[in-house]
Amino acid sequence: MTLSLGVIADDFTGATDIASFIALAGWRVVQLNGIPQQPLPLEDVDAVVISLKTRSCPAPEAISQSLAACRWLRVQDCRKIYFKYCSTFDSTPHGNIGPVTDSLLAETGAALAILCPALPVNGRTVIHGYLFVNGRLLNESGMQNHPLTPMTDANLLRVMDAQAAGKTGLLPLATLRRGTRAVRERLEELRREGRRYLVADVLDDADLTLLAQSLPDDLLLTGGSGLAGALAALSPRDRDSAAAQAVPPATGRAVVLSGSCSRMTNAQVEHYRRQAPARAIDVTRCLENGALYARELAQWVMDQPPRPAPMLFATQAADVVRAVQARYGVAATGAAIERLFADIALSLFQQGFSKFIIAGGETSSLITQRLGVSGFAIGRTIAPGVPWVRDIERPLWLALKSGNFGETDFFNQAQELYQ
């Protein structure tokens, strides 16, 4: 068996995001929750996405897990390695994108890494090396208030140079649009200059296609889901899609759990709470007696009407989040909320809930671990980068949303697919 693409994703929703874009080309994609400990049947699989929880953990831990995932993929005879991080390049000057990229360059022997977080369909574009979110500079988009990875600089070259061992160069938009020969000449120029990373300007999907067509095989691929989708689209597969089988049935209870504090998730929570039973998480109670509080909240969910799905949310305005973090600490606050949601999800699953709509990468990762999910089938797309997924072993369906993805009515859209 030879895998066309092996993806190492730094969080769970990011893994689901990239898996869905690859699957749009008809590729058969398996998403795994962590590095498998047992042999897996991967016959007739085109791509494997390994989900890690390394976005905001200590750099040595992120490096160790990423290298282990890379080595597992290479044992599976994987042709290309892709390091997936968020399309908003979530990584402070002390973050993990640079160190993990350096370790993967050394492991694979690649001379250069392409950095392409651009995802035009979701408003992520790059010009002159600056990352924009829906037309606004990254550091003015709301990401400057992220509780774990506040992004205060939109210049990706500076951000990468601050955390990596080498230096970063730019593939300007004008060069990209001159085609493959110009791109290859620029790559060779950067190699002669000793550059180790290349930020690619991308404004639209046509630019992503040009980039995918122009990249040589000896590069390390890193970025968001856009480039991976463009690479898969160059070799579409003629297969019957299994996506419909991974959409939840109309029967069975659902719940919405929102742990993200992003600007879009705030809007989605505000929209949904006007039409569905909704309850805000009391972070103080979460930190002081989380286990007892989780049982109380799970019971509240079970007591609500089944439709529309009831919602629990920790989503708060940026100033409220900062005040709580100042009192209890950033790490302790985030970990307590994630544990609370995971305890609630497990309790509800044991009571027969089969559909979980979850906002927030860290929240999604811990919930799937607590539920014992080892892998997913990729279902129909709710919003770009957010499909329904089905546990490969049990009748359990999840919609795992990165904070800023989806439209304002995302929680409604997720439920409309199975009604």
Side-chain angles (χ1 to χ4, degrees):
M1 177 209 68
T2 298
L3 292 174
S4 295
L5 188 65
V7 180
I8 303 163
D10 69 355
D11 87 332
F12 203 89
T13 54
T16 307
D17 167 22
I18 197 169
S20 70
F21 274 88
I22 297 169
L24 286 175
W27 286 30
R28 194 176 300 275
V29 185
V30 170
Q31 179 181 332
L32 304 174
N33 191 8
I35 302 164
Q37 302 302 310
Q38 303 293 334
L40 293 174
L42 297 176
E43 293 78 11
D44 203 30
V45 171
D46 300 302
V48 169
V49 180
I50 296 179
S51 164
L52 303 177
K53 189 175 166 58
T54 55
R55 179 166 298 172
S56 54
C57 71
E61 183 180 338
I63 291 170
S64 175
Q65 292 187 37
S66 300
L67 285 177
C70 180
R71 289 163 184 162
W72 186 90
L73 288 167
R74 297 181 79 187
V75 167
Q76 315 310 312
D77 197 19
C78 182
R79 291 174 181 167
K80 293 182 180 179
I81 299 294
Y82 196 113
F83 172 36
K84 164 65 171 68
Y85 42 79
C86 188
S87 59
T88 47
F89 210 80
D90 296 10
S91 190
T92 67
H94 304 291
N96 293 339
I97 292 178
V100 169
T101 299
D102 284 332
S103 68
L104 293 175
L105 280 170
E107 177 70 19
T108 61
L112 197 67
I114 184 77
L115 310 180
C116 183
L119 186 60
V121 70
N122 276 348
R124 279 65 163 162
T125 56
V126 180
I127 187 65
H128 305 306
Y130 285 81
L131 179 55
F132 287 79
V133 178
N134 295 319
R136 305 184 67 156
L137 285 166
L138 175 66
N139 56 299
E140 299 175 359
S141 68
M143 282 302 299
Q144 70 271 28
N145 299 317
H146 193 285
L148 297 179
T149 53
M151 301 304 297
T152 58
D153 190 354
N155 186 300
L156 297 181
L157 284 75
R158 284 198 298 258
V159 174
M160 189 65 176
D161 284 353
Q163 59 182 257
K167 291 295 182 182
T168 311
L170 176 67
L171 175 61
L173 187 65
T175 302
L176 173 64
R177 290 182 173 178
R178 287 203 299 270
T180 298
R181 181 173 179 179
V183 171
R184 299 286 177 92
E185 289 174 351
R186 178 60 176 160
L187 291 173
E188 185 56 37
E189 179 183 356
L190 290 169
R191 285 193 178 103
R192 290 196 301 268
E193 294 175 359
R195 306 280 178 166
R196 286 171 58 81
Y197 331 103
L198 174 66
V199 171
D201 279 353
V202 170
L203 283 185
D204 56 33
D205 286 338
D207 295 330
L208 278 177
T209 300
L210 275 173
L211 183 62
Q213 292 171 337
S214 301
L215 294 177
D217 291 334
D218 61 349
L219 293 186
L220 173 66
L221 304 170
T222 85
S225 56
L227 178 59
L231 287 165
L234 296 179
S235 303
R237 307 297 199 249
D238 184 17
R239 287 182 172 155
D240 292 333
S241 174
Q245 300 176 21
V247 174
T251 56
R253 292 205 61 179
V255 64
V256 177
L257 303 174
S258 178
S260 170
C261 291
S262 71
R263 177 176 291 179
M264 177 52 75
T265 303
N266 270 292
Q268 290 162 341
V269 165
E270 187 60 31
H271 176 83
Y272 190 68
R273 67 186 297 190
R274 297 182 195 143
Q275 54 195 293
R279 182 168 171 176
I281 298 299
D282 184 330
V283 179
T284 300
R285 293 189 64 190
C286 173
L287 285 154
E288 292 177 351
N289 196 338
L292 180 63
Y293 190 38
R295 290 195 292 273
E296 175 187 324
L297 292 172
Q299 186 61 54
W300 177 85
V301 172
M302 288 186 281
D303 290 343
Q304 305 310 306
R307 292 190 180 182
M311 175 175 67
L312 295 172
F313 62 96
T315 305
Q316 301 286 347
D319 58 339
V320 176
V321 173
R322 284 193 293 266
V324 173
Q325 290 175 336
R327 181 178 178 185
Y328 295 102
V330 175
T333 302
I337 293 172
E338 291 164 21
R339 285 196 304 271
L340 180 79
F341 275 125
D343 288 345
I344 293 167
L346 180 58
S347 178
L348 293 175
F349 179 65
Q350 291 170 341
Q351 295 298 320
F353 280 67
S354 60
K355 293 172 281 196
F356 294 82
I357 302 167
I358 307 168
E362 300 292 336
T363 305
S364 296
S365 177
L366 192 58
I367 286 176
T368 53
Q369 291 177 43
R370 187 66 61 84
L371 292 177
V373 176
S374 60
F376 291 128
I378 306 300
R380 287 178 180 158
T381 294
I382 305 165
V386 192
W388 273 106
V389 298
R390 186 187 189 279
D391 187 329
I392 58 176
E393 299 176 319
R394 298 167 296 175
L396 168 63
W397 293 264
L398 302 101
L400 307 167
K401 186 189 83 72
S402 294
N404 279 308
F405 280 18
E407 300 298 326
T408 304
D409 61 346
F410 173 84
F411 298 133
N412 305 84
Q413 292 176 338
Q415 296 171 68
E416 288 168 0
L417 277 181
Y418 62 76
Q419 289 180 350

